[in-house]
Amino acid sequence: MINIPIMSKTISVISQKQGTGKTTIAVNIAATLALFEKKTLLIDCDPQSHLSRYGGISPKESSETLYHGFMGKTSARQLAIQTPIDFLTFIPSKPNLFLTEHRLAIKPGKELILKKIIQEIKNDFQYIIIDSPSSLGFFTICSMAASDWVILPITCNFSTLDEITDLNEVLKIVQEQLNPDLKIAGTLFNQCSGKDELNHYFSENELGAIPYPSFLTTIPTDDTIRKSGILGKPVALYDISAKASQTYFDLSVELIKKIA
């Protein structure tokens, strides 16, 4: 019998601004993909390690984290832990990840270390979701360099267009210097109650000026999402019948089709 390798897709959730719901989006996309029985790896590439505090996916303290992978102290398979959700595996982080940027300062190609870590186990998964810091610094660059696609979560506010302009410049640099195959899955409007709220903040011309396609699905401001986050659970595990859960299932279906 011939083993056909899985055609894996690596997707980073990128935002330079705090408060866009980036980590919440990453964990809920990963969880819903797993609930669709897609083999999924979720990586916490943020030294603040908010994702690693989700008890619903990381119920036990891990001695080895992404820091050890960056420093070459352990393999990707040793880092990866099975979560309580079937089909979902997780690589956690701790604040010591901050140290790697300094310790690797003069190492050539340090921006590609995460890509090499992922390549060790990429063929074991259909989807790899990376949560990166709320900045355009080293770990975000590493995430983009390691990814096939990026999702850009943005909120409905008047500074959104300026933020996209700044992010666009960094994306172009990464594409030119580190990852020419990097593609934009789309902008994702979060904390946004659909088209009416979009039209309140943006004219048609302003929306048309966003240089990337937008997901049709928008993530609403929803108390279920807030409560599930407080409890450290993906929203579908907190209340699978909630409207917010269905929204994330819709988003995951849209994502699968977009990047097929």
Side-chain angles (χ1 to χ4, degrees), residues 23-86:
T23 297
T24 301
I25 289 167
V27 70
N28 280 290
I29 288 175
T32 50
L33 287 170
L35 291 170
F36 280 136
E37 299 189 352
K38 307 293 184 183
K39 292 181 180 179
T40 304
L41 173 65
L42 179 61
I43 300 176
D44 188 352
C45 192
D46 184 352
Q48 293 192 50
S49 57
H50 293 306
L51 188 57
S52 298
R53 296 170 195 158
Y54 265 75
I57 59 168
S58 184
K60 61 181 181 178
E61 186 77 6
S62 177
S63 60
E64 294 182 321
T65 63
L66 190 58
Y67 164 81
H68 298 89
F70 264 90
M71 299 306 298
K73 295 182 176 183
T74 191
S75 69
R77 281 196 170 81
Q78 288 173 306
L79 294 175
I81 57 176
Q82 179 60 46
T83 75
I85 305 172
D86 291 341

Side-chain angles (χ1 to χ4, degrees), residues 22-215:
K22 171 184 57 60
T23 297
T24 301
I25 289 167
V27 70
N28 280 290
I29 288 175
T32 50
L33 287 170
L35 291 170
F36 280 136
E37 299 189 352
K38 307 293 184 183
K39 292 181 180 179
T40 304
L41 173 65
L42 179 61
I43 300 176
D44 188 352
C45 192
D46 184 352
Q48 293 192 50
S49 57
H50 293 306
L51 188 57
S52 298
R53 296 170 195 158
Y54 265 75
I57 59 168
S58 184
K60 61 181 181 178
E61 186 77 6
S62 177
S63 60
E64 294 182 321
T65 63
L66 190 58
Y67 164 81
H68 298 89
F70 264 90
M71 299 306 298
K73 295 182 176 183
T74 191
S75 69
R77 281 196 170 81
Q78 288 173 306
L79 294 175
I81 57 176
Q82 179 60 46
T83 75
I85 305 172
D86 291 341
F87 297 94
L88 181 60
T89 304
F90 181 51
I91 294 181
S93 179
K94 286 182 180 178
N96 63 357
L97 188 60
F98 272 120
L99 301 174
T100 59
E101 185 174 4
H102 171 70
R103 292 179 177 176
L104 299 171
I106 61 173
K107 182 179 177 65
K110 60 184 180 293
E111 296 86 359
L112 297 175
I113 292 175
L114 180 61
K115 182 175 184 177
K116 292 175 183 176
I117 292 170
I118 290 171
Q119 282 175 335
E120 291 182 40
I121 53 175
K122 186 167 186 172
N123 289 337
D124 295 345
F125 299 98
Q126 292 166 278
Y127 297 97
I128 299 168
I129 308 296
I130 305 173
D131 182 36
S132 60
S134 299
S135 73
L136 297 178
F138 173 67
F139 295 106
T140 299
I141 300 296
C142 290
S143 297
M144 290 192 281
S147 295
D148 304 303
W149 298 85
V150 297
I151 294 172
L152 309 175
I154 51 181
T155 53
C156 287
N157 62 63
F158 295 110
S159 64
T160 291
L161 298 182
D162 291 335
E163 294 161 16
I164 290 175
T165 299
D166 295 339
L167 182 55
N168 190 39
E169 293 301 315
V170 176
L171 282 166
K172 286 180 178 178
I173 292 170
V174 172
Q175 288 169 325
E176 290 169 3
Q177 299 184 11
L178 295 170
N179 186 0
D181 297 322
L182 181 65
K183 297 175 285 294
I184 315 302
T187 54
L188 173 62
F189 285 97
N190 188 31
Q191 302 165 19
C192 176
S193 301
K195 192 169 182 180
D196 289 342
E197 190 165 357
L198 283 176
N199 291 337
H200 172 72
Y201 285 98
F202 310 111
S203 68
E204 285 190 20
N205 287 340
E206 286 173 326
L207 288 172
I210 296 175
Y212 312 115
S214 296
F215 284 89

